[in-house]
Amino acid sequence: MTPQSVKPSTSKVVIRPASTPYDWVAVRELFVRYFESLDAQICKPDLEREINALPGVFGDTGGCVLIAWQEEGEGHPVAVGCSGVRPGPEEGVAEMCRLYVDDTQRGRGLGLTLAEAAVTTATELGYRRMVLHPLAPWAPAMA
């Protein structure tokens, strides 16, 4: 996947797939924040199982996690969002999941950019169709 850029604030944001151990640490942190934002809709054992299994279905099995990195001057970039692509319910179908944008970046188009990057990535991975199963708290993002 070709890294994509968006300017949701004064700092540049680059989206690229997780590939290094440092990236997977950031994914774990983003997934924890994602699950915390859902309140009780996802039970804790499911969260722990998915996080402990990373990269799991997002690794070499036809999936990936895209991370939005905000560049902070000369320091290390900060992970401010993510979107997962994993094999879907049938062959040739991908599922977009774990779309999350940090509170500090919401309302600036980063969620849409991550969703578009996930669709592009799914196509590059050979999927013909993508499904999304949004949870109730994300209804405003779907509007």
Side-chain angles (χ1 to χ4, degrees):
M1 181 202 149
T2 305
Q4 298 186 12
S5 296
V6 63
K7 291 194 176 194
S9 66
T10 57
S11 300
K12 183 178 179 183
V13 174
V14 175
I15 298 171
R16 62 177 174 76
S19 61
T20 69
Y22 181 79
D23 292 345
W24 289 109
V25 168
V27 168
R28 283 178 177 82
E29 292 171 4
L30 290 165
F31 277 20
V32 166
R33 292 180 3 221
Y34 168 85
F35 281 108
E36 287 172 348
S37 71
L38 297 176
D39 295 322
Q41 289 202 23
I42 303 288
C43 68
K44 189 173 181 178
D46 291 341
L47 161 67
E48 291 172 353
R49 188 172 22 259
E50 183 167 326
I51 290 175
N52 290 334
L54 285 171
V57 296
F58 301 105
D60 294 332
T61 62
C64 74
V65 177
L66 303 171
I67 306 172
W69 294 99
Q70 183 173 19
E71 296 178 1
E72 297 281 330
E74 294 183 28
H76 289 288
V78 176
V80 295
C82 63
S83 180
V85 175
R86 64 183 175 195
E90 57 193 66
E91 186 155 337
V93 177
E95 179 183 4
M96 182 188 310
C97 59
R98 308 299 175 250
L99 178 58
Y100 173 79
V101 175
D102 187 82
D103 290 343
T104 64
Q105 300 299 314
R106 292 189 183 162
R108 299 178 180 181
L110 181 55
L112 176 60
T113 302
L114 279 163
E116 289 171 343
V119 171
T120 298
T121 299
T123 301
E124 291 172 355
L125 290 171
Y127 292 106
R128 298 182 309 276
R129 196 171 66 123
M130 179 170 262
V131 295
L132 172 65
H133 301 289
L135 299 169
W138 302 122
M142 299 292 291

